[in-house]
Amino acid sequence: MKLIETYEMDGNVIGVNSLLTTNNAVIDIKQIFILNGVVYVSFDTQEERILITETAETFIKKNKEYLATLTKKVVTVHHCKCPSCQ
């Protein structure tokens, strides 16, 4: 098992100690790790204080809509006009 601090997939980035407020819950990312070539995310929620572990791909797909709004907010705040942000 190898611990990592951040993971990126399709432009969506998640990081250890991130606090994500989605429509369904407040998610606290506790750990991101690689095991047998697969990236996993361990997190808990405000409602369920148990450690949940799932693949990073599954986590991002379930929260893709919310993560996309974070990307848009960053672009808006910085008023970035570069081609990669448009």
Side-chain angles (χ1 to χ4, degrees):
M1 180 171 89
K2 178 184 176 187
L3 296 175
I4 58 176
E5 291 295 314
T6 59
Y7 178 73
E8 187 264 332
M9 183 181 107
D10 299 331
N12 297 298
V13 179
I14 52 175
V16 174
N17 295 324
S18 294
L19 205 60
L20 308 175
T21 305
T22 67
N23 290 341
N24 301 327
V26 176
I27 300 169
D28 187 5
I29 306 294
K30 300 293 188 182
Q31 193 175 60
I32 304 171
F33 60 93
I34 302 170
L35 182 64
N36 296 329
V38 179
V39 180
Y40 293 89
V41 177
S42 292
F43 61 94
D44 65 10
T45 66
Q46 185 176 15
E47 294 174 0
E48 295 182 48
R49 284 298 186 191
I50 57 171
L51 194 60
I52 303 164
T53 301
E54 59 190 30
T55 65
E57 183 177 342
T58 300
F59 179 84
I60 289 174
K61 283 181 181 178
K62 283 177 24 183
N63 296 291
K64 189 174 190 130
E65 188 175 303
Y66 173 74
L67 293 170
T69 64
L70 293 178
T71 304
K72 289 177 185 173
K73 285 183 182 178
V74 170
V75 172
T76 303
V77 170
H78 293 281
H79 304 290
C80 185
K81 301 290 184 197
C82 75
S84 63
C85 291
Q86 296 299 316

